[in-house]
């Protein structure tokens, strides 16, 4: 058997301790599957005295992750600290410069610096593996770079933030408003320290940008992702969507078009009976569409100690076996600079607005839609209250520009109370 593969683990939070537990619990099984022993030789975290419910006594300790990355007794540097600047970036760059392979769960680091890091890794003959950075325990990176490598990818989409899916599912199941469920999620520890990373779509947007780079052979372009969070989704939207046999999801979609690369992470309606429509709680789902294979649906836990640590160790085992795959599936120097394209493909739309309750109000809205070139598929008007009438419209296919035009025309009618809600209905 080959010499042991020696790991340096930077970050001893939930995921880091999960990695320690897997290595200690399954040492013999991992050695048998990897063809060599896999051991942790050194770790790094800011506070050595903290109780982490794990036996760390056999590991060397570094307070500086850069020093850990440069140790002679480390072959693979595992980065599970988080953050796209500061220690995580510096230590990853130091590991590559020192000739180490890198395994990371840090989607923000790769979304902002992935191309530069990939160039550095490949110039040094090293690999960066990041299965844990996207959709937790779901092996979607491996699916794209290996299992579907012979496919031209048509579309990548999915629910990639479990916290948002939990909030939307909980709102529907319990009939609770957004603010109350948001607070519940915060109390349960589901939200990031900066909640906007979750509910603003940023975390999921990071993941989508990485999948798009692999799927379409481009450099990572997170700045071009259209982002819209779930904060404007009301319990009424949840109920009205259900009335029309849809569910609302924070959905990421990426596709290459004749105009360039479309990337969006926005709330959408999906058919209730579709796989995405049936996804509940904190679970993630990624849908991959290839020209040869058709549609592949991957579903599983998108976060948490066990699933994320499992993905980290899957990458470690591949490195131990000698699997060497370019960071984004093809050599970094061959990745094209993407042309960012605003989403222009047509779809049906869900429009929800409140009208003043007076004769002719609804006719003005229908006229505004017609002038914007949008036809109505279905329309419902709900019970009146305080001289206001809630109205729900599902349109036939229209572009975002057409919808924006209609919203501008709505404002000029003088019959709309507050801001209308417009959500895309995704064809899945």
């Amino acid at each position: 058997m080959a010499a042991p593969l020696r790991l340096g683990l930077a970050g001893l939070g939930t995921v880091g301790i999960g990695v320690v537990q897997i290595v200690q619990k399954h040492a013999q099984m991992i050695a048998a599957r990897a063809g060599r022993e896999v051991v942790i030789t050194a770790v790094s975290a800011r506070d050595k005295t903290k109780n982490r419910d794990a036996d760390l006594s056999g590991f060397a300790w570094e307070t500086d992750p850069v020093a850990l990355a440069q140790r002679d007794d480390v072959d693979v540097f595992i980065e599970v600290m988080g953050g796209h600047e500061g220690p995580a970036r510096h230590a990853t760059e130091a590991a590559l410069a020192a000739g180490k392979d890198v395994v990371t769960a840090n989607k923000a680091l790769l979304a902002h610096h992935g191309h530069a890091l990939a160039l550095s890794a490949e110039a040094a003959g090293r690999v960066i593996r990041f299965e844990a950075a996207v959709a937790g325990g779901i092996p979607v990176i491996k699916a794209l770079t290996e299992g579907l490598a012979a496919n031209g990818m048509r579309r990548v989409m999915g629910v990639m933030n479990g916290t948002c899916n939990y909030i939307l599912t909980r709102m529907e199941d319990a009939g609770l408003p957004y603010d109350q469920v948001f607070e519940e999620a915060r109390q349960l520890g589901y939200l990031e320290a900066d909640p906007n990373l979750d509910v603003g779509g940023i975390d999921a947007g990071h993941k989508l940008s990485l999948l798009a780079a692999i799927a379409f052979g481009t450099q990572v372009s997170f700045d071009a992702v259209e982002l819209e969070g779930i904060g404007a989704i009301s319990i009424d939207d949840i109920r009205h969507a259900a009335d029309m046999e849809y569910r609302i999801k924070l959905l990421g979609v990426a596709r290459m078009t004749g105009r360039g690369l479309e990337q969006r992470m926005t709330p959408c309606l999906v058919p209730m009976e579709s796989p995405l429509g049936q996804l509940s709680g904190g679970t993630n789902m990624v849908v991959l569409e290839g020209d040869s294979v058709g549609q592949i649906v991957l579903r599983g836990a998108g976060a948490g100690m066990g699933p994320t640590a499992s993905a980290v160790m899957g990458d470690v085992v591949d490195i131990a076996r000698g699997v060497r795959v370019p960071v984004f599936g093809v050599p970094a120097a061959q990745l094209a600079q993407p042309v960012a394209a605003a989403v222009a493909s047509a779809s049906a739309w869900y429009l929800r607005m409140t009208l003043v309750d007076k004769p002719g109000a609804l006719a003005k809205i229908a006229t505004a839609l017609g002038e914007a070139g949008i036809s109505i598929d279905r329309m419902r008007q709900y019970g009146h209250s305080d001289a206001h009438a809630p109205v729900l419209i599902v349109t036939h296919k229209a572009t975002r520009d057409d919808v924006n035009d209609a919203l501008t025309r709505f404002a000029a009618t003088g019959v709309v109370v507050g801001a209308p809600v417009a959500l895309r209905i995704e064809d899945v």
Side-chain angles (χ1 to χ4, degrees):
M1 185 174 287
L5 185 71
R6 302 167 298 176
L7 311 179
L9 176 61
L12 291 173
T14 299
V15 177
I17 293 302
V19 170
V20 171
Q21 291 177 352
I22 288 176
V23 171
Q24 292 177 338
K25 179 180 179 181
H26 294 305
Q28 290 185 335
M29 180 187 75
I30 291 171
R33 292 177 176 176
R36 60 196 296 195
E37 188 179 2
V38 174
V39 298
I40 298 172
T41 54
V43 297
S44 176
R46 284 176 292 187
D47 184 1
K48 189 174 182 178
T49 64
K50 182 178 178 181
N51 179 16
R52 294 180 169 88
D53 294 323
D55 181 8
L56 308 176
S57 59
F59 310 143
W61 190 285
E62 298 282 359
T63 56
D64 180 3
V66 172
L68 174 70
Q70 295 170 331
R71 287 179 65 101
D72 291 338
D73 60 352
V74 168
D75 302 310
V76 177
F77 176 70
I78 300 176
E79 186 276 300
V80 289
M81 295 179 290
H84 68 275
E85 299 293 350
R89 181 181 180 185
H90 298 153
T92 299
E93 291 172 339
L96 296 173
K100 320 291 187 185
D101 293 321
V102 171
V103 174
T104 181
N106 193 336
K107 81 282 292 184
L109 175 69
L110 294 173
H112 288 277
H113 306 294
H115 186 62
L117 291 171
L119 288 170
S120 297
E122 292 167 22
R126 300 292 93 194
V127 296
I128 300 174
R129 301 294 296 252
F130 58 100
E131 190 68 73
V134 180
I138 302 174
V140 61
I141 304 298
K142 196 174 184 70
L144 279 171
T145 57
E146 298 180 43
L148 302 179
N151 281 257
M153 299 308 298
R154 292 173 172 166
R155 182 169 62 161
V156 173
M157 63 180 173
V159 171
M160 304 176 199
N161 184 277
T163 298
C164 287
N165 204 51
Y166 166 82
I167 289 173
L168 294 171
T169 301
R170 176 73 172 147
M171 287 173 68
E172 179 179 9
D173 291 346
L176 297 174
Y178 172 82
D179 289 343
Q180 185 173 339
V181 178
F182 175 91
E183 180 59 25
E184 181 182 284
R186 190 185 68 79
Q187 294 287 347
L188 291 170
Y190 291 171
L191 290 163
E192 297 276 2
D194 175 5
N196 195 49
L197 290 173
D198 285 315
V199 298
I202 297 170
D203 168 83
H206 287 151
K207 299 170 185 177
L208 181 68
S209 70
L210 300 179
L211 294 182
I214 299 170
F216 303 111
T218 64
Q219 297 174 27
V220 182
S221 53
F222 169 68
D223 290 343
V225 179
E226 176 188 337
L227 292 176
E228 180 183 345
I230 64 171
I233 304 300
S234 72
I235 186 61
D236 287 337
D237 291 320
I238 299 281
R239 289 169 176 157
H240 297 337
D243 283 348
M244 297 284 195
E245 298 185 343
Y246 292 106
R247 287 200 171 98
I248 299 175
K249 301 293 180 184
L250 181 67
L251 188 66
V253 180
R255 74 179 91 210
M256 185 65 73
T257 72
R259 299 171 300 99
L261 179 61
E262 295 181 356
Q263 301 176 92
R264 57 183 165 85
M265 182 62 66
T266 60
C268 292
L269 274 68
V270 298
M272 190 176 287
E273 296 306 314
S274 69
L276 285 164
Q278 296 183 44
L279 189 69
S280 63
T283 309
N284 282 197
M285 180 176 287
V286 181
V287 180
L288 307 174
E289 294 180 357
D291 60 356
S292 295
V293 75
Q295 187 178 96
I296 299 292
V297 178
L298 303 173
R299 177 185 182 277
M305 174 187 284
T308 309
S310 169
V312 167
M313 288 307 299
D315 283 342
V316 168
V317 169
D318 268 355
I319 291 172
R321 290 169 169 165
V323 176
R324 318 291 291 181
V325 178
V327 180
F328 292 102
V330 300
Q334 296 178 23
L335 295 172
Q337 178 66 48
V339 175
V343 178
S345 54
S347 73
W349 289 80
Y350 161 98
L351 306 177
R352 189 257 299 166
M353 67 205 77
T354 301
L355 305 184
V356 295
D357 186 15
K358 65 181 184 181
L362 194 55
K364 289 184 178 182
I365 294 302
T367 298
L369 284 168
E371 290 172 347
I374 300 174
S375 59
I376 296 172
D377 178 27
R378 288 177 281 172
M379 179 169 59
R380 292 187 183 176
Q381 186 169 344
Y382 292 85
H384 300 191
S385 62
D386 300 325
H388 296 158
V391 172
L392 170 65
I393 295 171
V394 172
T395 75
H396 287 292
K397 286 192 174 183
T399 67
R400 178 80 233 195
D401 287 344
D402 292 338
V403 171
N404 288 340
D405 182 20
L407 295 178
T408 300
R409 293 175 186 274
F410 290 170
T413 64
V415 300
V416 178
V417 180
V421 170
L423 300 175
R424 186 183 180 95
I425 300 176
E426 190 65 29
D427 180 19
V428 298

